[in-house]
Amino acid sequence: LEYFEKAIDMLSEDNDPIGKSFAYIHCGNTLLNIGRPHEALENYESALKLREITGNKLVISQAMRSIAIAHSDLKQYSQAQLYLNQALQILQELDDEIGIANIYNELGNIALAEKKSREALNHFALAASIYEENAEFEKQGLCARKIGEIQMSLGLLDESYSNLQKALRIADETGNGKLLELTLLAFHDYFIEKELYKDALLYFKQYVGIKDSLNAITQKEAIWQASLDVELDKKVQEIKKIEGDIEELRAEAKLKTIEIEQQKLIKNFFALVSIFILVVALGSFYGYFIIRQKNKWLNEANEKLEKSEDELLKLLQTKDKLFSICLLYTSDAADEEDSVDL
């Protein structure tokens, strides 16, 4: 039950509605087996809702049958019959003979619970006939036993004996212990009705022997199940420990990843700073080179300017000398003219 409930929580209604519906069915079957039919009914109804969404008629009919069985366990027979008849209609459309036989068998069980012996007899007879045609011999044997018991209650002892013999033969051939047990008990009741008490005692002893044998098997299965549960608990604890270790490793890996990312960021930061410094250094060097070049050009220009100034100064001095000579010549010439005039 615990695992089925976990499966229900894990499965998605959108992605896997059929899968989740099967989990609901299995959960309902388990609840029904441990005597909790109300909860079983809720799970079956949840399964039906999911299956109706998919439109799959076969699984819809199966869910309806499960709901009917839960209603029957709750002694809500009219509700059970309603769902069984709906399922029967779907299965007849699908021509699913085994499914139809299963529905007739359930209708027989409900009629039997309501003490409607004739109606139950008809349903079981239809189911048994279909099971036989489809080689479902164990199910045929179960129906034959119930038919024999009903016929016995109706006083139809010859017919009852024939069907009980058929059930006993099928039980032997198929090795179905439960069918054998119930059929031997039915034979005990049959011989009581016939007032053949020695035969009744013989069958009762066989019945007790088979019942004890089946109980022993059940007890062994219970012990095995208990030991299996212990082992499963151990495995669960081991798995939880492993999961815890995995989570720790994941956390450590996450921290490592963060540290690596931080180291990368630091490296990138220093790389960017280094590049920045290099760029600044190159820029400074380039700037220094340009300034130095400009200074060189400026010095050269200054030198040329100074040279030009010196040449200009020499020219000016030469001009002044020439000008002085010209003035002196002019002055002498004037004196000569004055003396000539005189």
Side-chain angles (χ1 to χ4, degrees), residues 7 49 65 87 96 286:
K49 286 178 183 177
R65 181 187 170 207
D96 184 341
Y286 180 73

Side-chain angles (χ1 to χ4, degrees), residues 2 4 10 45 48 52 57 65 69 78 105 111 126 132 136 157-158 186 193 197 206-207 260 265 272 276-277 311 332:
E2 181 182 348
F4 286 136
M10 293 172 69
E45 288 172 342
L48 179 59
E52 285 176 337
K57 291 186 177 182
R65 181 187 170 207
I69 292 170
S78 59
N105 182 58
L126 284 169
E132 185 177 12
E136 291 283 341
L157 297 182
D158 291 339
E193 288 290 325
Y197 300 114
Q206 291 182 53
Y207 158 73
I260 291 167
L265 287 172
L272 288 171
F276 176 74
I277 291 170
E311 290 177 354
D332 290 343

Side-chain angles (χ1 to χ4, degrees), residues 111-112 114-122 150 153-154:
L112 200 59
E114 292 184 303
K115 302 187 185 306
K116 298 176 180 178
S117 299
R118 295 286 181 182
E119 185 178 331
L121 195 62
N122 291 334
I150 294 169
S153 69
L154 294 173

Side-chain angles (χ1 to χ4, degrees), residues 99-168:
I100 292 168
N102 290 335
I103 297 298
Y104 281 132
N105 182 58
E106 295 300 338
L107 286 168
N109 289 332
I110 291 171
L112 200 59
E114 292 184 303
K115 302 187 185 306
K116 298 176 180 178
S117 299
R118 295 286 181 182
E119 185 178 331
L121 195 62
N122 291 334
H123 288 311
F124 288 134
L126 284 169
S129 175
I130 297 171
Y131 286 140
E132 185 177 12
E133 290 173 2
N134 289 272
E136 291 283 341
F137 299 118
E138 287 188 76
K139 291 181 178 180
Q140 179 197 356
L142 290 169
C143 287
R145 176 189 60 78
K146 287 186 277 190
I147 291 169
E149 289 175 343
I150 294 169
Q151 289 171 334
M152 190 192 312
S153 69
L154 294 173
L156 305 171
L157 297 182
D158 291 339
E159 291 90 336
S160 172
Y161 182 81
S162 175
N163 279 290
L164 292 178
Q165 278 287 79
K166 186 185 293 182
L168 190 61

Side-chain angles (χ1 to χ4, degrees), residues 8-53:
I8 288 169
D9 291 336
M10 293 172 69
L11 289 163
S12 168
E13 291 184 8
D14 297 326
N15 297 331
D16 190 9
I18 291 294
K20 188 158 188 169
S21 74
F22 273 113
Y24 275 122
I25 292 291
H26 290 310
C27 191
N29 292 343
T30 307
L31 288 163
L32 206 62
N33 289 338
I34 61 176
R36 291 158 64 179
H38 283 99
E39 294 172 71
L41 182 58
E42 290 175 3
N43 278 271
Y44 293 147
E45 288 172 342
S46 296
L48 179 59
K49 286 178 183 177
L50 289 174
R51 292 180 175 187
E52 285 176 337
I53 293 170

